[in-house]
Amino acid sequence: VALPDKVAMKAKSAAGNDARAVSSPWASAFAIFMAIAWTTPTLGLFITSFRKQEDIQTSGWWTAFSTPFTLNNYKEAFSGGGANSTPLSQFFVNSIVIAIPAVLLPLLLAALAAYAFAWIEFPGRNFLFVAVFALQIVPLQIALLPLTQIFVNLGLQGSYWSLWLSHSAFALPLAVYLLHNFMKEIPPSLLEAARVDGAGHLRTFLQVLLPLITPALASFGIFQFLWVWNDLLVAMPMLGGSPERSPITMQLNTTSGTLGNRWYLLSAAAFISIAVPVGVFLSLQRYFVRGLLAGGTKG
């Protein structure tokens, strides 16, 4: 009779040992060290973005509090107020125009495809789902050249459509896989109740499933937005002949060479480029955490 109690006590003891191992002072010290090591360069770049050019050239960023700060760096980098400076306002807008459709389009298509794979019976469903999932192993670099040739033949080279379709195609396999697994965790009784009430597939998807998969949509939307906003590899071949449609990453890549000795502008431009991704992540952090933890527990 005492055997189950001993097993339970051993399990609790093992769990306690694991918890103590994770919360040991050495683990905490290592985590603090890694956090400082990762954030110190970013902090230095952030402080540099508020310093004057002569201060940057004569002292390090750790002495910045002894010199006055300025907002002229951001004004000059964003609007091009200084001589030979590169305005980022147009390219900032271009990045927004590129990122929003490149996030919404794969989310819409992936949600519909995931619903079909999860809850609609049709011939070859499992084979098609495995084929979609297998597309994730195709390297991005291999697909860029044939995809560029296709857009050239269609007359879409250098347009926003080339980027929207490219980012959507590269994101769909993973999005379908993640949303499909999330939908399979939803109790079938909810869909059966909707069918009893006379709801079809479209109404069931919009009114029953879509509100429930909002955390998963937000989680993948954040990842996709960060990828599209920081993308340079896809944008360069797709928009090579249309610099006026270039995202902010392409412009930063260009100005890093022409303004390599003007750190006060480069640092400000770098933080202008990351302002939107940070804001998106912070505003959707609640949904992001819920989407990551979804399916981890039951009940």
Side-chain angles (χ1 to χ4, degrees):
V1 177
L3 185 58
D5 294 335
K6 291 182 179 180
V7 174
M9 291 177 62
K10 289 182 179 180
K12 291 181 180 179
S13 178
N17 292 335
D18 293 340
R20 285 191 295 271
V22 173
S23 60
S24 65
W26 289 107
S28 300
F30 179 76
I32 293 174
F33 172 77
M34 292 301 297
I36 294 175
W38 277 97
T39 56
T40 299
T42 305
L43 177 63
L45 186 65
F46 181 70
I47 294 176
T48 301
S49 67
F50 291 99
R51 304 185 69 200
K52 297 180 180 179
Q53 183 179 10
E54 54 271 17
D55 295 332
I56 296 174
Q57 295 174 347
T58 56
S59 61
W61 63 266
W62 49 88
T63 63
F65 294 99
S66 61
T67 57
F69 290 104
T70 179
L71 294 176
N72 292 333
N73 299 341
Y74 285 89
K75 180 180 179 181
E76 185 175 345
F78 190 77
S79 61
N84 298 324
S85 61
T86 305
L88 295 178
S89 55
Q90 175 185 350
F91 307 101
F92 189 87
V93 174
N94 290 346
S95 291
I96 296 177
V97 172
I98 293 171
I100 292 178
V103 172
L104 297 180
L105 185 59
L107 281 179
L108 174 62
L109 297 178
L112 294 173
Y115 173 80
F117 284 127
W119 300 110
I120 299 178
E121 294 285 346
F122 58 89
R125 182 182 66 169
N126 295 332
F127 174 79
L128 288 176
F129 179 72
V130 173
V132 170
F133 176 73
L135 290 175
Q136 297 183 66
I137 67 175
V138 178
L140 176 64
Q141 294 80 358
I142 293 178
L144 278 178
L145 181 57
L147 194 60
T148 303
Q149 292 176 344
I150 292 175
F151 288 139
V152 169
N153 296 333
L154 294 177
L156 298 178
Q157 178 70 10
S159 66
Y160 287 130
W161 278 103
S162 61
L163 278 178
W164 295 338
L165 296 177
S166 298
H167 285 302
S168 299
F170 294 137
L172 277 176
L174 180 59
V176 171
Y177 176 74
L178 294 178
L179 294 179
H180 169 270
N181 292 344
F182 193 92
M183 287 185 184
K184 293 296 289 185
E185 295 292 330
I186 298 176
S189 58
L190 292 177
L191 279 76
E192 295 175 358
R195 294 191 186 99
V196 170
D197 291 339
H201 287 298
L202 181 60
R203 185 178 177 184
T204 301
F205 173 78
L206 294 177
Q207 297 185 1
V208 178
L209 283 180
L210 198 58
L212 296 177
I213 65 174
T214 299
L217 293 174
S219 297
F220 184 80
I222 292 174
F223 281 122
Q224 177 68 359
F225 183 86
L226 295 178
W227 161 254
V228 175
W229 186 272
N230 296 321
D231 169 69
L232 178 63
L233 178 62
V234 178
M236 291 184 69
M238 298 300 170
L239 296 177
S242 301
E244 69 278 0
R245 297 189 178 92
S246 300
I248 194 170
T249 51
M250 288 185 62
Q251 189 60 24
L252 286 177
N253 181 61
T254 302
T255 57
S256 63
T258 58
L259 299 178
N261 59 342
R262 305 176 71 182
W263 276 101
Y264 68 103
L265 286 183
L266 286 178
S267 56
F271 275 91
I272 289 174
S273 68
I274 69 174
V276 172
V278 170
V280 170
F281 179 80
L282 293 178
S283 61
L284 298 177
Q285 185 178 12
R286 175 168 58 94
Y287 296 101
F288 179 73
V289 175
R290 286 174 56 191
L292 291 181
L293 298 178
T297 58
K298 292 185 178 181

